[in-house]
Amino acid sequence: MPLHFSTGNAKLNGNTLIFNLPAGKTCPGASICKSMAIQTPSGRKIHDFKNTEFRCFAASSEVQYDGVFANRAENWLEVKSHLHNGNLADYLNTELHKNLKKKHTRVRIHESGDFFSREYLMAWIMVAQTNPNLDFYCYSKSLEFFLGLTLPENFYLTASYGGKYDHLIDEGVFPRYVKVVNSIEDADTLGLPVDGIVHNHEDRCFLPGPFAILLHGTQPKGSEAGKIARKNRLVMKRVKEALAL
């Protein structure tokens, strides 16, 4: 079965190819953002965990859209199968090239999902080494899998706060990191530039140093996180309008 890739989204332009896995189910390092789409007799719904403070936007997409849910589930099945067979890196590379077009210069690994094992991570590192003309980038909370590794020059990791391994960021192991904040003022207090304001989303992932992302996505009805996310949507809309002037 072929893998599913997509091109671009609301934040990324058409030169980026995206590969996704199911949110939550493949995120062993997640904590405060961990949620997943589950199938029930009455349909799909969001499942939150005991430490969930705000919902992963990617999990919400899997509840909303049949195709998104199916494509990510199929990707995961294929990845696990080829990982078991010992040929995952070759398979990923072959499927990647089936989807590559001349316009593609970047590959985002996981708009949804994360590295669920070190072996899976190593397969993507091998793919990056095989394609030095492409830039690969990712956000990850599975930071324990990266310890002791030397990443290729074209593989860009942004460590993501809010997981089980935040202490590794605090200890300076991962100097480029991102933190979800409730407001621009909170980001200013932390001394962090806000994604989408100081730099656009893609460029920020290739620059050194930390940055912040405003809380966003579909949150539980009536929750404090929902109120904050709605406010931030308005804030970012006004920022984009101002920048366009």
Side-chain angles (χ1 to χ4, degrees), residues 13-203:
N13 61 37
N15 72 343
T16 301
L17 199 61
I18 306 167
F19 180 76
N20 286 319
L21 292 176
K25 297 180 180 73
T26 61
C27 303
S31 179
I32 64 173
C33 66
K34 190 167 186 178
S35 51
M36 66 175 66
I38 59 173
Q39 191 71 50
T40 71
S42 58
R44 288 191 305 277
K45 68 177 185 178
I46 288 283
H47 173 71
D48 295 323
F49 293 78
K50 65 177 183 179
N51 293 326
T52 304
E53 295 180 11
F54 56 89
R55 285 177 175 169
C56 172
F57 76 94
S60 297
S61 296
E62 291 173 30
V63 171
Q64 291 177 290
Y65 305 107
D66 293 342
V68 170
F69 180 82
N71 287 350
R72 293 174 184 176
E74 289 172 5
N75 280 352
W76 193 27
L77 288 174
E78 288 301 310
V79 163
K80 288 189 294 182
S81 174
H82 288 273
L83 187 62
H84 177 75
N85 292 336
N87 66 338
L88 180 58
D90 288 340
Y91 174 64
L92 288 174
N93 190 58
T94 298
E95 293 298 305
L96 172 69
H97 279 271
K98 287 180 182 177
N99 289 273
L100 273 176
K101 294 180 172 58
K102 289 183 178 180
K103 65 180 180 179
H104 293 135
T105 59
R106 293 172 172 175
V107 178
R108 176 165 178 179
I109 311 169
H110 307 142
E111 180 187 29
S112 169
D114 205 341
F115 299 101
F116 58 85
S117 72
R118 189 176 176 99
E119 292 77 17
Y120 172 58
L121 167 61
M122 291 303 300
W124 272 113
I125 289 175
M126 292 174 66
V127 173
Q129 291 171 331
T130 304
N131 297 276
N133 57 315
L134 295 172
D135 286 330
F136 294 75
Y137 73 103
C138 61
Y139 294 87
S140 182
K141 291 183 173 68
S142 299
L143 301 180
E144 80 282 18
F145 299 144
F146 287 87
L147 294 177
L149 295 180
T150 299
L151 298 177
E153 291 185 0
N154 62 329
F155 193 108
Y156 297 82
L157 162 68
T158 298
S160 181
Y161 251 109
K164 299 176 183 178
Y165 304 100
D166 287 354
H167 64 279
L168 295 175
I169 303 175
D170 295 334
E171 293 165 6
V173 178
F174 300 97
R176 180 170 52 239
Y177 64 85
V178 63
K179 196 166 194 175
V180 175
V181 296
N182 290 337
S183 67
I184 293 176
E185 291 75 21
D186 287 348
D188 288 342
T189 299
L190 295 170
L192 299 176
V194 178
D195 174 50
I197 296 179
V198 179
H199 296 282
N200 69 43
H201 175 73
E202 278 199 288
D203 290 343

